[in-house]
Amino acid sequence: MQSGKRKAAESEVAPPEHAIKVSRSIESMNNSEVTIDEDLHSRQIAVYGRETFRRLVGAKVLIVGVRGLGVEVAKNIVLAGVKSLVIQDTGAVELKDLGAQFYLKEDDVGKNRAEACVARLQELNTAVSVTVSNDPLTEDFISQFQAVLFTETKVSEAIRWNEFCHAHSPPIPFVRADVRGLFGTVFCDFGPSFIVSDLDGEQPHKGIIASISNETCAFVTCVDDERLEFEDGEMVSFSEIKGMEALNTFGPVKVKDVKVHSFHIEVDTTSMGMYERGGIAVQTKMPVERKFKTLQESIAEPGEFLLSDFAKFDRPPKLHVCFLALDQFLDEKGYLPRPGSAEDAVELIEMVKSVNAASKEPLEEIEDDLVRMLAYGASAELNPMAAMFGGLVGQELVKACTGKFQPLHQYFYFDSAESLPMKEFPLSAEEYQPMGTRYDSQVAVFGRTMQEKISKLQVFLVGAGALGCELIKNFALMGIACDPAGSVTLTDDDIIEKSNLSRQFLFRDWDLKQAKSTAAAKAAIDINPALNVHSQCNRVSPDTEMVFDDDFWGKLDVVVNALDNVNARLYVDSRCVYFRKPLLESGTLGTKCNTQMVVPGITENYGASRDPPEKQAPMCTLHSFPFIIDHCLTWARSEFEGLLEKTPSEANKFLSKKEAFVAEVKKTGDATAREAVERVLDVLVENRCLTYPECVKWARMHFQEYFHNRVAQLTYTFPEEVTTSQGALFWSAPKRFPRALNFDTADEVHMQFVRAAANLKAEVHGLKVPALTDAELGALITAIHVDPFQPKAGVKFETNPKAEKEAPSMASADDETIIADLLQKLEAGAGDLVGKYTLAPVEFEKDDDTNFHMDFIGACANLRARNYQIPEVDKLQAKLIAGRIIPAIATTTAMSTGLVCLEMYKLVRGAEIEAYRNTFANLALPLFAMAEPVASKTMKYNGMEWTLWDRWIMEGDLTVQELLDWFEERKLTAYSVSCGQSLIYNNFFAKHKERLPKKLSDLVKEIAKLDIPAKRRHFDIVVAVEDEEGEDIDIPLVSIRFR
């Protein structure tokens, strides 16, 4: 397996002259003025960074061969946003091409393949020039490209053009890739020397310095908030050090002896003075050289293969020989082995043996069955394989154009042979014979019977975003639910935004603001008119269980998740467990993706394992002691939501239902309720704005409070040189001593804050916002009187990182008395507004640059960063962090959905657990980790067995006593029965004995307030039991079928 990291001795090298030419070739694409649509490409920039993306949008790419794999790569490259793409394919469209090539239609049969799909490729991204060139390839023609891909190309032709690209100055990165049934191959040659600027794309590791020794090999310790992520041999740079300032400009230095909170640096600090305080160590990513061999050279000496499947660690060398023999077969015969041809399979087996025998290091054995599986499907191109390889190869082309991420070095072989029914393989020759349909490639691999099963599937696809678009496209190409007996239900409650267009490839400009599910379903039908897809705009949640009811779930064959949040995934997973339905799960994060197979009665469910909770900054850090920009942005978004969304919403409760509001806060009567009334009083009485100038004044006063008064009070309470009770400096790392800001109308960020805050305040109060120039707004601000800051004694700031929230300012006072006084003021000041006035809460929306939301949050965060001398960020970076935007690119999405659909084949044929694969992959490294799913745990007791997939169904309208008796007969004591959050019975309570003769159906209605729909025949209860030794035993959910 290739490693994502290499030893320092291998990676930190001075690039040779020919490598510098490659680097200059890539960098030269930066020289021209390139305008980037950051609204469209924000998720991609989050993965690549601006500079890398600028190189990408200056690149020219050639793709030779646009059947299924070629068009998948082309789609991903166009979405990525290269400058231009040229496609070349001299072949004519065949009907079977439509099983993997989604931009071809039946009317295109007989037309040139490239010309038939170029217009649809162009629609993906009008900023990219997509053209066709079907003239014979020449050296002058190929010289114009930054990267080339050859698919469906004979090995002799591939070798010829690879030799030219390798020898070109600068070298032209060359990729050859093909999918043959359930087998695939990729070869990369980026030239004699290729410089990689960033191997993994991860954010540089950081450490906050606590001390540095005066030694010839200085010892550095860091604060113990977090474990250091540095590795021996990495380079780091220092900044913000006081007392040993020379290190700040020393340049990158190598670290060694890295421990949890310390490391050594190869620097003599004995003459640099004593370390005083502060400082940050940041990993510096050094350029790395990678050397490649040509295709001709590597055939005999392929080197190390990229491994994908731990269970098949010896497979890649065998497939290398098999594909060499397949190339030989094609050269000699002029065609690939025919579907179901035993004769062609035998001939390929003999060629494999011959090629292996002639190898420098012959393999001991290459199984005949492996070669036979390759031969039977070699002429077929399956959509899931094309999608998976399209993602992988597309990312390699991006690497070639940008120098970002570790290139594949040099071969990758993959197979999903376990998707085939091993015991029945090969099927009868008749099964593999073409049917004269678009599905003939799939028939050539799996047979006609399997295709019929696929066409009749009942599928529930949850989500129509990036994953959902790719999946519904795959379903259409595979023929899933393309028989009248099959159907796909596609649901998503979201609408299409501009930022979706860079990766959710079924959507176009004219689809903006439409429902995703509707647009995706329409586009999928355009790919295959036989697809039976029904779109809905419902969120799958407890609130829609009357829509997605028992009958709906009961008819399903499989559920496929295409969601972007864990809670939604967990809910769908719980429903799949309840109804015993298979779930295909996947997710992406930048270049990383994972897939998981959840099969009833066989594997564990999605919710059986959880990622650790995301670490959050303590409240005191966010409120008073931020030290990174993330803290400032988190605080800024919290202030936005508190001022502009939560407070107006609470005020509307008072305005619409005053009595209920008053009753609730009196009932609660604590500091939280008091704060809620204070906020309502503020927005309706003390700071209710009736004119826009009043909104400006409100904004200016908030600037003063946020960025001057609070900071001045903090530094008054804790002066810069103050020490703790242990004698240490209070303002020691990671704390940063802040400075108060003075408002200046000449400062762009100061003005941005006031304008955004004033406009949003006006929106809350329903006021018209005038179109003021900066000068006009500045004049309004200058006229506002601001009282000078006066420090207060006795003000307390929370300094304990373990405190969950800021201590209330009047924690010792009588909250009930204060609340009564506040309510009286609220009634006096805003009582006449009840029923006549409504505020407009502002719900945060990150992707609309005209709404001032990110202007407020960005300015707010950057001003706070200035307070604490933290580096500021631009609007896009602020949006990525504050908007909690998940980095996303089309290549990763395509690959993950291809992997999911390969698992679909296994599910349809009823595979054993050994055949399924869960996958984690990272295209940046590249790395694959595929493994068999974890089996579901089996519980046993007194001759009974069950798993998490079981539900005990009891027939009849049972009483509590009858339920207890049922368990008693099985030597279990049921001591507690609950329904939802309500306790129906517990033997600890003597009064509950009165419930023993009562029917459970009556009790759940009376106590749990359960509303059982008329068409539902059962309800569910949770029963707690113990065995004869008094030990608790986890048992399945119990369903009482009372109707």
Side-chain angles (χ1 to χ4, degrees):
M1 182 186 300
Q2 286 189 334
S3 169
K5 297 183 179 177
R6 307 289 186 189
K7 294 180 181 177
E10 298 173 348
S11 61
E12 288 154 20
V13 295
E17 183 60 33
H18 53 278
I20 293 174
K21 290 180 182 177
V22 178
S23 180
R24 285 175 183 160
S25 171
I26 293 174
E27 291 297 334
S28 68
M29 292 182 273
N30 265 339
N31 296 336
S32 60
E33 290 295 324
V34 177
T35 301
I36 299 175
D37 188 339
E38 294 188 347
D39 292 338
L40 177 64
H41 294 292
S42 58
R43 274 67 174 173
Q44 291 165 272
I45 296 172
V47 177
Y48 297 126
R50 267 200 189 86
E51 289 310 307
T52 296
F53 196 73
R54 286 188 183 278
R55 292 196 288 271
L56 182 62
V57 298
K60 299 179 179 180
V61 177
L62 169 67
I63 295 178
V64 178
V66 283
R67 291 182 68 204
L69 174 57
V71 80
E72 285 280 358
V73 177
K75 175 252 297 177
N76 295 333
I77 287 296
V78 172
L79 288 173
V82 297
K83 180 178 182 179
S84 67
L85 169 68
V86 177
I87 57 175
Q88 199 239 30
D89 194 319
T90 56
V93 177
E94 302 174 63
L95 186 57
K96 71 174 185 177
D97 290 342
L98 276 63
Q101 222 283 24
F102 45 86
Y103 282 149
L104 297 177
K105 301 185 183 302
E106 292 188 11
D107 291 346
D108 294 324
V109 173
K111 298 177 183 177
N112 175 267
R113 201 176 283 125
E115 291 174 356
C117 68
V118 65
R120 298 178 188 112
L121 276 169
Q122 182 64 78
E123 282 182 1
L124 280 170
N125 189 344
T126 55
V128 177
S129 169
V130 184
T131 56
V132 173
S133 177
N134 282 333
D135 295 330
L137 297 177
T138 66
E139 293 182 355
D140 285 345
F141 176 71
I142 288 189
S143 295
Q144 68 180 296
F145 298 104
Q146 274 72 51
V148 297
L149 165 66
F150 283 77
T151 70
E152 303 287 330
T153 304
K154 287 189 175 183
V155 66
S156 56
E157 190 77 357
I159 288 173
R160 173 194 169 193
W161 290 115
N162 173 239
E163 293 288 343
F164 169 75
C165 292
H166 189 88
H168 191 270
S169 181
I172 301 169
F174 172 97
V175 182
R176 183 192 186 210
D178 284 301
V179 291
R180 305 296 186 195
L182 288 166
F183 297 77
T185 175
V186 181
F187 168 79
C188 291
D189 172 12
F190 287 9
S193 180
F194 183 80
I195 301 303
V196 184
S197 62
D198 182 353
L199 286 174
D200 57 17
E202 300 294 335
Q203 288 296 314
H205 302 140
K206 295 182 181 181
I208 300 172
I209 297 167
S211 69
I212 306 175
S213 68
N214 288 99
E215 297 180 75
T216 55
C217 185
F219 179 62
V220 182
T221 62
C222 294
V223 298
D224 58 3
D225 279 21
E226 292 186 8
R227 180 188 182 92
L228 279 176
E229 297 293 336
F230 298 146
E231 292 188 5
D232 286 6
E234 287 184 342
M235 308 295 285
V236 301
S237 298
F238 294 95
S239 63
E240 301 185 30
I241 296 173
K242 294 183 179 179
M244 201 178 275
E245 286 85 354
L247 270 180
N248 292 331
T249 55
F250 195 85
V253 299
K254 187 175 291 187
V255 301
K256 63 179 184 179
D257 304 326
V258 177
K259 301 294 188 296
V260 177
H261 300 299
S262 66
F263 56 90
H264 283 86
I265 54 174
E266 296 180 351
V267 178
D268 184 349
T269 59
T270 54
S271 60
M272 292 186 179
M274 295 294 293
Y275 170 82
E276 293 177 13
R277 67 168 74 170
I280 299 173
V282 181
Q283 175 193 9
T284 302
K285 296 194 174 186
M286 306 299 290
V288 178
E289 182 189 18
R290 288 287 177 262
K291 297 181 179 181
F292 293 80
K293 294 187 288 188
T294 64
L295 179 58
Q296 181 71 67
E297 292 170 331
S298 65
I299 284 175
E301 296 179 354
E304 189 177 357
F305 298 102
L306 172 62
L307 181 65
S308 62
D309 192 332
F310 297 142
K312 298 186 282 191
F313 67 91
D314 62 343
R315 187 64 61 82
K318 296 177 181 179
L319 292 182
H320 182 68
V321 175
C322 289
F323 271 90
L324 291 177
L326 197 61
D327 282 331
Q328 181 181 327
F329 188 104
L330 180 60
D331 275 347
E332 292 183 8
K333 302 283 187 181
Y335 60 86
L336 290 164
R338 292 161 293 185
S341 172
E343 179 185 347
D344 287 352
V346 168
E347 194 159 352
L348 183 61
I349 289 170
E350 292 305 313
M351 285 185 177
V352 167
K353 291 177 180 177
S354 175
V355 171
N356 185 43
S359 302
K360 284 188 175 181
E361 297 180 8
L363 302 174
E364 289 185 10
E365 181 188 20
I366 301 177
E367 299 85 352
D368 288 354
D369 277 348
L370 178 66
V371 183
R372 188 173 288 108
M373 285 186 281
L374 173 61
Y376 272 51
S379 65
E381 189 175 35
L382 300 178
N383 156 254
M385 290 290 291
M388 178 207 161
F389 274 79
L392 173 63
V393 174
Q395 194 62 52
E396 293 305 310
L397 292 177
V398 170
K399 295 174 187 179
C401 296
T402 63
K404 179 103 172 186
F405 305 144
Q406 171 94 293
L408 170 63
H409 197 270
Q410 289 188 256
Y411 280 100
F412 175 64
Y413 290 103
F414 174 84
D415 74 89
S416 185
E418 61 278 359
S419 292
L420 291 169
M422 299 293 192
K423 294 178 181 177
E424 294 83 12
F425 180 84
L427 304 172
S428 66
E430 292 75 20
E431 276 283 318
Y432 298 115
Q433 292 311 300
M435 301 166 59
T437 70
R438 63 170 68 215
Y439 314 119
D440 278 351
S441 280
Q442 206 157 251
V443 169
V445 176
F446 295 104
R448 296 184 173 194
T449 303
M450 179 80 154
Q451 185 61 44
E452 186 178 354
K453 290 181 180 179
I454 288 172
S455 70
K456 295 180 179 179
L457 286 175
Q458 296 280 341
V459 181
F460 188 21
L461 176 54
V462 188
L467 288 167
C469 283
E470 290 284 346
L471 285 163
I472 195 66
K473 173 261 293 180
N474 294 352
F475 293 174
L477 294 169
M478 294 166 69
I480 289 175
C482 289
D483 182 276
S487 74
V488 176
T489 300
L490 171 60
T491 191
D492 194 311
D493 66 341
D494 202 2
I495 61 171
I496 300 165
E497 303 289 352
K498 184 177 181 180
S499 62
N500 301 148
L501 302 181
S502 65
R503 64 201 187 284
Q504 299 176 18
F505 88 104
L506 294 181
F507 306 144
R508 301 291 179 269
D509 289 338
W510 52 82
D511 294 320
L512 292 176
K513 302 305 177 182
Q514 291 188 34
K516 285 185 176 181
S517 57
T518 305
K522 181 181 177 182
I525 291 172
D526 190 52
I527 292 171
N528 186 348
L531 178 68
N532 293 315
V533 57
H534 309 284
S535 62
Q536 294 194 25
C537 300
N538 294 303
R539 182 187 296 262
V540 184
S541 70
D543 295 335
T544 55
E545 288 185 4
M546 292 303 293
V547 177
F548 306 112
D549 57 16
D550 294 9
D551 290 342
F552 172 82
W553 283 93
K555 295 174 183 176
L556 296 176
D557 294 312
V558 60
V559 181
V560 184
N561 263 352
L563 294 162
D564 61 359
N565 70 89
V566 172
N567 288 337
R569 287 187 173 108
L570 288 171
Y571 175 75
V572 174
D573 174 62
S574 70
R575 301 304 282 170
C576 288
V577 171
Y578 185 85
F579 290 102
R580 291 183 62 89
K581 298 299 177 182
L583 172 66
L584 302 181
E585 176 62 64
S586 61
T588 69
L589 179 65
T591 59
K592 306 180 187 74
C593 75
N594 69 281
T595 66
Q596 181 179 350
M597 279 300 301
V598 179
V599 186
I602 297 178
T603 72
E604 68 177 12
N605 65 318
Y606 172 78
S609 58
R610 304 278 186 92
D611 290 332
E614 194 173 322
K615 187 173 181 180
Q616 296 184 337
M619 292 300 293
C620 67
T621 300
L622 296 177
H623 284 213
S624 304
F625 309 109
F627 53 87
I628 58 175
I629 193 64
D630 298 57
H631 297 156
C632 301
L633 284 161
T634 300
W635 171 83
R637 177 163 174 181
S638 176
E639 291 300 308
F640 176 99
E641 291 174 344
L643 286 172
L644 302 165
E645 182 181 1
K646 293 179 182 177
T647 295
S649 296
E650 289 170 347
N652 282 342
K653 292 177 184 177
F654 171 80
L655 293 170
S656 61
K657 297 179 180 179
K658 183 182 74 172
E659 292 77 11
F661 175 86
V662 171
E664 179 63 27
V665 295
K666 284 184 175 180
K667 179 182 177 182
T668 307
D670 60 8
T672 301
R674 188 198 75 222
E675 290 169 0
V677 181
E678 287 173 341
R679 289 193 295 269
V680 173
L681 182 66
D682 177 84
V683 74
L684 290 182
V685 180
E686 296 169 357
N687 280 296
R688 180 160 72 96
C689 297
L690 301 178
T691 65
Y692 185 73
E694 289 180 358
C695 296
V696 174
K697 180 179 180 181
W698 176 87
R700 173 64 181 88
M701 290 306 183
H702 268 77
F703 178 99
Q704 193 69 14
E705 177 63 19
Y706 281 158
F707 311 116
H708 187 94
N709 294 355
R710 289 187 188 179
V711 173
Q713 183 64 54
L714 180 63
T715 56
Y716 174 82
T717 305
F718 299 109
E720 187 168 9
E721 301 302 324
V722 72
T723 58
T724 66
S725 57
Q726 287 78 32
L729 283 171
F730 176 82
W731 292 103
S732 59
K735 293 187 182 74
R736 305 170 76 101
F737 185 75
R739 312 283 178 185
L741 302 181
N742 294 312
F743 188 85
D744 184 357
T745 55
D747 190 297
E748 184 179 341
V749 183
H750 292 201
M751 293 292 286
Q752 178 186 333
F753 173 83
V754 172
R755 185 184 293 276
N759 288 1
L760 292 168
K761 180 68 170 174
E763 182 180 341
V764 167
H765 290 279
L767 303 175
K768 183 178 180 180
V769 177
L772 300 180
T773 64
D774 283 348
E776 290 169 333
L777 179 61
L780 282 178
I781 296 171
T782 303
I784 297 169
H785 173 73
V786 179
D787 292 330
F789 169 72
Q790 294 294 328
K792 300 174 184 176
V795 176
K796 293 184 178 181
F797 291 89
E798 181 60 68
T799 60
N800 180 11
K802 295 182 180 179
E804 293 186 6
K805 59 182 292 185
E806 192 173 39
S809 58
M810 298 182 179
S812 61
D814 183 350
D815 286 321
E816 290 185 9
T817 302
I818 297 171
I819 287 172
D821 181 56
L822 291 170
L823 287 173
Q824 188 175 3
K825 291 179 181 178
L826 184 59
E827 174 63 32
D832 60 336
L833 299 177
V834 174
K836 305 174 185 176
Y837 186 65
T838 303
L839 299 179
V842 179
E843 187 173 345
F844 177 59
E845 172 48 60
K846 59 185 176 292
D847 287 322
D848 181 355
D849 279 348
T850 66
N851 62 13
F852 290 95
H853 297 192
M854 282 310 307
D855 295 87
F856 176 92
I857 290 174
C860 200
N862 280 333
L863 291 169
R864 189 166 177 81
R866 286 187 195 180
N867 283 138
Y868 289 86
Q869 295 85 55
I870 296 169
E872 298 174 35
V873 293
D874 61 27
K875 191 172 181 179
L876 177 62
Q877 291 171 300
K879 180 190 291 189
L880 296 175
I881 298 170
R884 297 159 196 156
I885 289 175
I886 299 173
I889 48 178
T891 50
T892 314
T893 305
M895 186 181 70
S896 64
T897 57
L899 290 167
V900 165
C901 290
L902 286 173
E903 298 303 305
M904 182 77 84
Y905 291 134
K906 303 170 188 177
L907 195 65
V908 173
R909 75 171 182 83
E912 301 295 324
I913 190 171
E914 295 80 9
Y916 292 109
R917 293 291 183 271
N918 290 345
T919 301
F920 170 79
N922 186 343
L923 287 177
L925 299 179
L927 171 130
F928 287 85
M930 306 182 80
E932 182 183 311
V934 177
S936 58
K937 184 180 178 182
T938 300
M939 304 289 292
K940 298 180 180 181
Y941 178 77
N942 193 32
M944 297 185 292
E945 291 187 5
W946 64 90
T947 70
L948 66 93
W949 291 100
D950 290 302
R951 179 159 48 108
W952 287 351
I953 300 174
M954 299 184 186
E955 300 287 349
D957 198 1
L958 304 181
T959 65
V960 174
Q961 186 62 59
E962 288 171 333
L963 175 74
L964 302 186
D965 293 343
W966 189 92
F967 282 99
E968 194 66 35
E969 291 169 6
R970 289 154 179 80
K971 299 182 179 179
L972 290 169
T973 300
Y975 62 85
S976 179
V977 180
S978 59
C979 180
Q981 302 297 316
S982 302
L983 188 62
I984 303 302
Y985 169 80
N986 192 297
N987 63 10
F988 180 78
F989 301 107
K991 250 189 136 178
H992 280 198
K993 289 183 179 179
E994 299 172 2
R995 301 178 180 177
L996 290 174
K998 295 184 178 181
K999 292 187 180 296
L1000 286 161
S1001 59
D1002 294 332
L1003 291 172
V1004 297
K1005 293 174 187 175
E1006 174 190 343
I1007 299 169
K1009 310 301 181 188
L1010 186 65
D1011 181 19
I1012 307 173
K1015 63 179 181 178
R1016 178 170 290 176
R1017 299 175 56 205
H1018 71 278
F1019 59 89
D1020 302 316
I1021 56 176
V1022 175
V1023 183
V1025 303
E1026 57 188 20
D1027 62 17
E1028 293 177 306
E1029 282 74 41
E1031 297 292 329
D1032 280 353
I1033 294 181
D1034 289 330
I1035 64 168
L1037 186 70
V1038 175
S1039 290
I1040 307 297
R1041 189 172 289 165
F1042 71 109
R1043 288 174 178 160

